[in-house]
């Protein structure tokens, strides 16, 4: 007999897997959760350095327009009133993001919305033939030369590892130009950072589940198979929620999906109280290799001793590296559709999250998708 039988094996202790586990546990189902990393939380994992909660995998600011999702996440954390107001540096000059009246004033000295609109209108460049064939043409048609050259071009090329003329136009569907002196990056009514970081949130979500860290899916399955064959204690389950790379699950049998990766360089400065004066500062020049510098203590209004900063470097992804962003161009979208066909045929396996569903998710979207999947599972169980 199995040492322990579970209703679900959840592969990945990130936000999607943790919310799904919480939902199923609350409904009386049992979950065993595994993760190849040696910590829970996935990319929202935060460590602590002298009272500073460090976002180890890049800045994560929770924001949502959905009151139900906001109420849900507040069951597991108390949120502060942090507002995301990033800055951008180009040529030694500092600009406000998102593009707003403070930005336009710094660029051109304009003071009123009408002046800003007139300046932008005079710089717009219509693409030849009327349809933008690449990202550069798209950006110039939406925001004009100054904004494109100083605040879009270099940052975007670093992010994607290609020139803007080589990138498809659909990457930028619109450029939000705000004609107010408001530096709040998000327009969602609910926004903040969990006091104490994200890790305690995930730990609460996982309460009631059995968690195994530092082990991948194939390795864990093999360990249980060997234990069973040897007559020892082993773990079994009815269904799998897989939140890893969908192409990896199928052994890359149809080829590799494309991703972008990131490299983080963390610098601990115990003797420095305040390094840059803001949580996030973007560096938009192509010549500077990193895209942004994060000073973590500012997410919680300067609390903690000294400071910790992280420089974020975009990288081309190769097998074995950590995938961060799916490349949702036409070719990869078609390839993912083929993997989806295989997934639909896979018995008792669910695919969820950024990697399992090959799409970019904000945190509120992760919560909504995981809860919807859990609800659908329970409806299916009742029908059975």
């Amino acid at each position: 007999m199995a040492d322990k039988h579970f209703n679900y094996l959840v592969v990945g202790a990130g936000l999607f897997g943790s919310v799904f586990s919480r939902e199923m546990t609350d409904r009386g189902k049992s979950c065993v959760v595994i993760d190849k990393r040696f910590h829970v939380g996935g990319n929202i994992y935060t460590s602590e350095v002298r009272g500073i909660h460090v976002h180890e995998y890049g800045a994560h600011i929770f924001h949502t327009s959905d009151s139900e999702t906001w109420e849900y996440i507040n069951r597991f954390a108390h949120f502060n009133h942090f507002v995301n107001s990033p800055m951008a540096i180009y040529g030694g000059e500092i600009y406000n993001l998102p593009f707003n009246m403070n930005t336009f004033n710094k660029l051109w000295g304009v003071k009123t919305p009408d002046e800003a609109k007139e300046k932008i209108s005079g710089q717009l460049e219509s693409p030849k033939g009327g349809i933008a064939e690449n990202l550069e043409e798209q950006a110039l048609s939406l925001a004009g030369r100054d904004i494109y050259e100083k605040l879009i071009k270099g940052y975007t090329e670093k992010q994607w590892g290609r020139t803007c003329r080589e990138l498809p136009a659909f990457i930028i569907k619109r450029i939000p130009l705000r004609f107010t002196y408001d530096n709040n990056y998000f327009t969602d009514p609910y926004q903040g950072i969990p006091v104490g970081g994200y890790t305690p949130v995930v730990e609460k979500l996982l309460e009631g589940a059995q968690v195994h860290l530092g082990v991948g899916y194939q390795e864990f399955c093999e360990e249980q198979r060997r234990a069973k064959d040897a007559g020892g204690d082993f773990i079994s389950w009815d269904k799998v929620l897989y939140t890893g790379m969908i192409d990896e699950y199928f052994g890359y049998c149809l080829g590799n999906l494309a991703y972008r990766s990131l490299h983080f360089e963390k610098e601990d400065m115990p003797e420095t109280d305040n390094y840059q004066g803001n949580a996030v500062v973007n560096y938009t020049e192509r010549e500077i290799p990193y895209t942004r510098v994060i000073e973590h203590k500012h997410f919680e209004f300067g609390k903690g001793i000294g400071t910790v900063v992280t420089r974020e470097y975009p990288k081309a992804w190769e097998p074995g590296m950590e995938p961060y962003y799916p490349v949702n161009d036409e070719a990869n979208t078609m390839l993912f559709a083929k993997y989806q066909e295989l997934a639909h045929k896979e018995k008792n396996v669910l695919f969820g999250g950024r990697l399992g569903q090959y799409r970019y998710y904000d945190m509120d979207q992760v919560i909504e998708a995981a809860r919807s999947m859990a609800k659908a599972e329970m409806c299916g169980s009742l029908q059975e």
Side-chain angles (χ1 to χ4, degrees):
M1 292 181 63
D3 179 54
K4 184 66 176 178
H5 182 80
F6 293 86
N7 297 119
Y8 291 90
L9 168 63
V10 178
V11 182
L15 187 58
F16 194 104
S18 299
V19 169
F20 180 87
S21 176
R22 174 77 272 138
E23 292 293 287
M24 300 313 291
T25 300
D26 287 348
R27 289 169 169 82
K29 301 295 184 180
S30 57
C31 297
V32 56
V33 182
I34 65 171
D35 200 293
K36 64 181 181 180
R37 290 172 173 169
F38 288 90
H39 60 72
V40 300
N43 289 343
I44 66 170
Y45 167 71
T46 49
S47 64
E48 184 173 342
V49 179
R50 298 184 308 277
I52 301 168
H53 296 101
V54 177
H55 298 213
E56 291 287 350
Y57 301 97
H60 288 85
I61 298 97
F62 194 91
H63 60 99
T64 185
S65 295
D66 187 78
S67 59
E68 183 179 338
T69 300
W70 180 244
E71 290 172 6
Y72 179 84
I73 196 63
N74 273 267
R75 289 169 47 193
F76 309 99
H78 173 69
F79 279 76
N80 66 21
H81 58 281
F82 177 83
V83 170
N84 187 29
S85 301
M87 312 290 288
I89 293 181
Y90 178 89
E93 295 288 332
I94 296 178
Y95 299 91
N96 289 100
L97 298 176
F99 308 138
N100 63 32
M101 284 302 300
N102 289 307
T103 319
F104 308 145
N105 175 265
K106 188 64 175 285
L107 283 168
W108 308 306
V110 298
K111 297 179 178 65
T112 68
D114 285 344
E115 289 175 327
K117 290 175 183 178
E118 182 180 358
K119 189 70 176 181
I120 292 170
S121 178
Q123 291 197 358
L124 298 182
E125 300 180 22
S126 299
K128 296 178 182 178
I131 299 176
E133 296 184 356
N134 55 57
L135 189 147
E136 178 173 283
E137 292 183 355
Q138 179 82 324
L140 289 172
S141 71
L142 294 172
R145 179 66 60 176
D146 285 348
I147 292 174
Y148 169 69
E149 291 284 354
K150 293 185 176 183
L151 301 174
I152 296 175
K153 184 176 185 293
Y155 190 93
T156 303
E157 291 181 346
K158 287 188 286 188
Q159 277 285 78
W160 293 96
R162 295 157 62 184
T163 68
C164 288
R165 292 181 180 178
E166 297 173 301
L167 291 168
F170 73 79
I171 290 177
I172 295 182
K173 295 180 181 179
R174 65 185 185 89
I175 297 175
L177 303 173
R178 301 181 188 171
F179 297 96
T180 62
Y181 289 91
D182 182 2
N183 296 323
N184 186 354
Y185 193 84
F186 302 120
T187 59
D188 300 302
Y190 309 108
Q191 179 176 330
I193 300 286
V195 176
Y198 285 98
T199 302
V201 178
V202 175
E203 290 172 344
K204 290 177 182 176
L205 286 166
L206 289 171
E207 286 178 358
Q210 188 177 119
V211 180
H212 298 258
L213 300 175
V215 61
Y217 176 58
Q218 296 295 341
E219 180 186 357
F220 186 77
C221 291
E222 181 63 18
E223 286 178 358
Q224 305 315 312
R225 185 191 66 78
R226 289 180 179 176
K228 181 179 180 180
D229 290 347
D233 296 336
F234 67 96
I235 292 171
S236 60
W237 51 87
D238 296 321
K239 298 185 77 169
V240 174
L241 166 61
Y242 189 84
T243 68
M245 297 161 58
I246 189 171
D247 50 343
E248 182 180 43
Y249 178 89
F250 290 105
Y252 308 104
C253 63
L254 302 176
N256 288 87
L257 289 165
Y259 303 87
R260 288 291 291 170
S261 191
L262 294 169
H263 170 67
F264 302 100
E265 286 188 358
K266 185 170 66 175
E267 185 177 0
D268 188 4
M269 303 178 179
E271 305 301 323
T272 300
D273 182 62
N274 187 355
Y275 176 75
Q276 64 184 15
N278 204 51
V280 180
V281 176
N282 291 358
Y283 286 77
T284 61
E285 292 171 88
R286 181 71 186 264
E287 294 72 23
I288 296 174
Y290 45 86
T291 51
R292 59 182 182 173
V293 176
I294 302 161
E295 188 169 9
H296 303 271
K297 70 185 305 178
H298 294 303
F299 290 128
E300 296 189 67
F301 309 107
K303 295 179 181 177
I305 299 171
T307 196
V308 179
V309 301
T310 299
R311 292 172 180 84
E312 191 172 301
Y313 297 78
K315 291 187 67 175
W317 178 86
E318 297 177 0
M321 297 174 61
E322 191 68 36
Y324 285 93
Y325 303 108
V327 180
N328 296 118
D329 58 15
E330 184 177 356
N332 283 286
T333 299
M334 292 175 62
L335 180 56
F336 171 62
K338 294 178 181 178
Y339 275 117
Q340 270 192 311
E341 292 178 9
L342 295 180
H344 291 151
K345 298 175 183 177
E346 198 75 359
K347 189 177 181 181
N348 294 326
V349 181
L350 306 169
F351 293 87
R354 174 177 49 92
L355 303 180
Q357 297 174 335
Y358 197 67
R359 57 168 293 185
Y360 180 80
Y361 272 124
D362 285 329
M363 285 183 284
D364 62 327
Q365 295 171 322
V366 171
I367 291 171
E368 292 162 15
R371 295 185 72 197
S372 294
M373 180 178 286
K375 184 177 180 180
E377 278 295 288
M378 291 306 298
C379 290
S381 296
L382 291 174
Q383 291 173 358
E384 292 172 2

